Amino acid sequence: QIELACLDTAPGDIDYRHLFSMISGTYRKAEEDRQNARQNAGLMGDEVRNLYSSVEKQASARVRAEVRLSEAIEALDQGFAYFDADDRLVAYNSKYQDIFFSNAAHKVTYGIHFEKLFMVTLPAAGYRIQEIKGFVPKVQFEHRAAVSRREVGV
C-alpha cells in the first residue's frame, strides 16, 4: 500500500497525507487486533476461572464424601477392611487394626497386599509359618471368589 501511495504522485514526490493515512490505518487495525485479543483472553480467562471453580467444587465434594465414608467405616462396631481388585488394602477402621495388628510388630498400612497381611499378623498371633502357608491359599480363594464373609471375634 505504501508503494501505491508513491505511484499516485509525481516521480520523486511522496503523498505524505496518503502515507500517514495508511500508517494510521495500520496502527488502528493493530490496536483493534490487540483489543480483540485482550477481549478473547478475558473470555478465555473467564472460561478458565469457571473451569477452575468447577474443579474446586468437585474436589471439595469428593473430600466431603471421603470424610463421610471414613467416619462411617470408623463408626462400625466390628473390624472392617476393604481390599481393591489387586488385593491391596484400601480402607480399614481402628477396630480392624486392633484385631489383626495388636500384637504384630508392624502397623496396618494402606496398600498392604492381602497375603502379606496374613504373613505379618498371624505369626504375632502365635501361628507357625507352616500353618499359615496351609491356611492362606484357602482364605485367598474365599477372598477372591467372595465365597464367604469371614468374621473374627475378639
Side-chain angles (χ1 to χ4, degrees):
Q1 290 181 356
I2 292 173
E3 287 179 15
L4 289 176
C6 294
L7 291 176
D8 289 340
T9 61
D13 290 342
I14 297 176
D15 184 352
Y16 289 105
R17 280 192 322 232
H18 190 66
L19 181 60
F20 288 131
S21 173
M22 288 188 320
I23 291 171
S24 295
T26 302
Y27 279 112
R28 274 194 301 278
K29 178 67 174 133
E31 183 58 29
E32 284 177 21
D33 290 347
R34 277 194 291 276
Q35 287 177 358
N36 287 338
R38 281 190 202 121
Q39 185 179 6
N40 289 339
L43 293 175
M44 287 178 17
D46 290 344
E47 290 175 9
V48 169
R49 279 189 288 281
N50 291 340
L51 181 60
Y52 181 76
S53 176
S54 175
V55 168
E56 270 188 327
K57 287 176 185 175
Q58 291 174 3
S60 179
R62 180 180 175 158
V63 167
R64 284 192 308 274
E66 287 175 354
V67 167
R68 286 185 68 195
L69 178 61
S70 177
E71 289 172 350
I73 290 171
E74 188 57 37
L76 294 172
D77 291 335
Q78 300 174 352
F80 174 86
Y82 179 76
F83 295 84
D84 67 11
D86 295 323
D87 283 341
R88 301 215 177 269
L89 183 63
V90 175
Y92 66 94
N93 63 8
S94 60
K95 292 171 187 76
Y96 181 82
Q97 180 166 329
D98 293 344
I99 291 167
F100 285 101
F101 285 84
S102 60
N103 296 325
H106 303 283
K107 293 292 179 196
V108 176
T109 56
Y110 291 107
I112 189 171
H113 195 271
F114 184 78
E115 181 178 355
K116 186 174 182 183
L117 178 75
F118 283 95
M119 301 310 262
V120 168
T121 58
L122 293 180
Y127 290 91
R128 295 188 320 265
I129 295 297
Q130 289 77 16
E131 293 173 312
I132 296 169
K133 286 185 178 179
F135 178 69
V136 169
K138 181 179 186 263
V139 173
Q140 277 184 317
F141 173 78
E142 291 175 356
H143 167 73
R144 288 187 182 129
V147 172
S148 71
R149 182 176 141 201
R150 182 165 305 282
E151 293 186 14
V152 177
V154 182

